[in-house]
């Protein structure tokens, strides 16, 4: 199997999957190998797309917590129309939604 860089058309063949499975001593049938080849090709093409994104002005994160999303103010709204919302509910009683019991 030849080494290749990720190109815009990085297709993995069924034969390559079967060869890798043989080397790894994995039992992979023909249809599964075809499915794996399609899936891996999709992932490689996605990686190519991501690799081509211009990140010139993007500062890398050293920690995911640096990217905080601004949250809206938690304020109660009194303009909710309970009757309209509950009119589409399967079961309502005394202003409450009734749900099936899930724990005995």
């Amino acid at each position: 199997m030849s080494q290749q860089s990720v190109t815009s058309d990085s297709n993995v063949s069924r034969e390559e999957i079967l060869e890798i499975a043989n080397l790894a001593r994995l039992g992979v049938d023909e249809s599964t190998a075809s499915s794996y080849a399609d899936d891996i090709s999709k992932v490689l093409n996605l990686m190519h797309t991501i690799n081509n994104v211009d990140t010139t002005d993007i500062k890398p994160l050293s920690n995911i917590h640096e990217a905080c999303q601004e949250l809206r103010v938690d304020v109660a709204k009194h303009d909710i129309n309970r009757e309209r919302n509950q009119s589409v509910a399967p079961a309502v009683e005394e202003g409450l939604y009734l749900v099936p019991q899930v724990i005995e």
Side-chain angles (χ1 to χ4, degrees):
M1 185 167 65
S2 63
Q3 290 183 343
Q4 61 181 351
S5 63
V6 177
T7 64
S8 62
D9 189 28
S10 295
N11 291 321
V12 176
S13 70
R14 179 181 50 81
E15 290 76 20
E16 290 172 313
I17 296 296
L18 290 171
E19 181 180 345
I20 292 168
N22 181 49
L23 292 171
R25 303 293 188 251
L26 298 173
V28 176
D29 62 32
E30 298 280 333
S31 65
T32 304
S34 295
S35 175
Y36 288 170
D38 290 341
D39 291 345
I40 292 172
S41 294
K42 289 176 187 175
V43 170
L44 291 174
N45 288 322
L46 177 63
M47 298 312 298
H48 175 72
T49 301
I50 292 171
N51 193 40
N52 288 332
V53 173
D54 181 17
T55 59
T56 306
D57 296 326
I58 307 296
K59 179 183 171 191
L61 293 175
S62 61
N63 186 324
I64 190 64
H65 297 292
E66 292 175 7
C68 294
Q69 180 179 0
E70 289 189 35
L71 302 176
R72 65 173 171 78
V73 179
D74 189 14
V75 178
K77 294 184 179 182
H78 300 287
D79 60 347
I80 295 173
N81 186 333
R82 178 181 288 196
E83 291 77 26
R84 181 176 49 98
N85 292 340
Q86 290 186 343
S87 68
V88 296
V92 177
E93 184 178 300
E94 297 179 14
L96 302 174
Y97 295 95
L98 300 179
V99 296
Q101 181 177 347
V102 293
I103 300 175
E104 295 183 21

